[in-house]
Amino acid sequence: MAKLDILIAPDRRLKTKAKPVGQVDDRVRKLMDDMLETMYAAPGIGLAAPQVGVLERVLVIDCTGKDEDNNPVRMVNPEILWQSDTLNSYEEGCLSLPEQFAEVTRPDACRVRYLDENNRAVEMSCDGLLATCVQHEIDHLNGVLFVDHLSALKRNIIMRKLAKWKKAQDEA
Ligand code: GNR
Ligand code: NI
């Protein structure tokens, strides 16, 4: 396994729609294992391939609490089949927008279909933090960041704070 570099916004690759994967083979399984290693090290609860510069429809998630055993989920070509009408808001963060957080409102439950690591179609119902995370990661595959769900005013404030954070990192 290998830890990958995570792209920080603004980066054109984070705004690009990712391409479907033809088949889940060893190359894709290796990518997902490397993404999981990168996600756990960050640490984060989800990671989408565009965040590591790979413009393919691949994501990994593990929303288990820190006292539970790991429960990694690997999704290829995920599709949202259904989203609830009821909404929920969560304080979201993103590994591509370090140290920036905001309340984002999304459907509070969803059902997704995807190919698993064995190239088999699977469906999963999600609610709570898992539903938020799945929708956040699928957004990444469509070139959408959590700040794109905010008003232009809030988005601009976050992007300016992020630019400051980046500058401070560069100078350190
Ligand atoms: O680690 C992460 N935490 C998180 C918290 C609330 C809502 C979404 C997320 S996903 C984020 C990791 C990430 O950037 N995935 O793309
Ligand atoms: Ni993210």
Side-chain angles (χ1 to χ4, degrees):
M1 296 228 281
K3 206 156 79 66
L4 308 170
D5 289 331
I6 298 176
L7 301 179
I8 306 300
D11 187 300
R12 206 173 40 85
R13 289 166 286 180
L14 294 171
K15 305 255 74 189
T16 307
K17 192 175 161 77
K19 295 228 157 47
V21 168
Q23 172 163 307
V24 185
D25 55 14
D26 285 345
R27 179 190 69 87
V28 177
R29 279 187 284 270
K30 162 90 161 66
L31 170 64
M32 293 191 287
D33 284 348
D34 289 346
M35 287 170 60
L36 280 166
E37 182 179 349
T38 305
M39 180 192 80
Y40 286 126
I45 59 171
L47 189 67
Q51 293 181 274
V52 294
V54 178
L55 294 175
E56 299 186 48
R57 304 188 77 80
V58 173
L59 63 85
V60 296
I61 287 179
D62 191 338
C63 283
T64 48
K66 62 174 161 49
D67 296 330
E68 300 170 79
D69 289 341
N70 286 350
N71 182 25
V73 179
R74 298 162 171 87
M75 296 188 183
V76 174
N77 300 342
E79 285 175 76
I80 295 185
L81 300 174
W82 171 83
Q83 285 173 304
S84 62
D85 294 329
T86 51
L87 305 176
N88 189 11
S89 71
Y90 254 105
E91 169 116 302
E92 296 199 16
C94 181
L95 295 171
S96 296
L97 296 107
E99 294 180 26
Q100 310 306 317
F101 303 92
E103 289 276 328
V104 178
T105 302
R106 302 179 185 273
D108 79 347
C110 62
R111 189 165 177 84
V112 287
R113 179 171 52 216
Y114 58 92
L115 295 176
D116 71 6
E117 57 274 25
N118 301 310
N119 203 46
R120 281 195 270 265
V122 180
E123 291 188 15
M124 185 189 283
S125 289
C126 306
D127 61 12
L129 181 59
L130 179 60
T132 295
C133 190
V134 165
Q135 292 172 86
H136 174 118
E137 301 314 333
I138 292 175
D139 269 357
H140 276 301
L141 305 183
N142 294 323
V144 174
L145 299 174
F146 82 77
V147 290
D148 296 322
H149 293 280
L150 308 176
S151 66
L153 178 64
K154 286 184 180 170
R155 180 166 55 249
N156 288 339
I157 290 169
I158 287 182
M159 296 315 286
R160 278 198 294 270
K161 284 198 304 183
L162 182 59
K164 269 192 176 175
W165 178 89
K166 256 187 157 170
K167 190 156 176 282
Q169 293 288 111
D170 289 347
E171 285 166 2

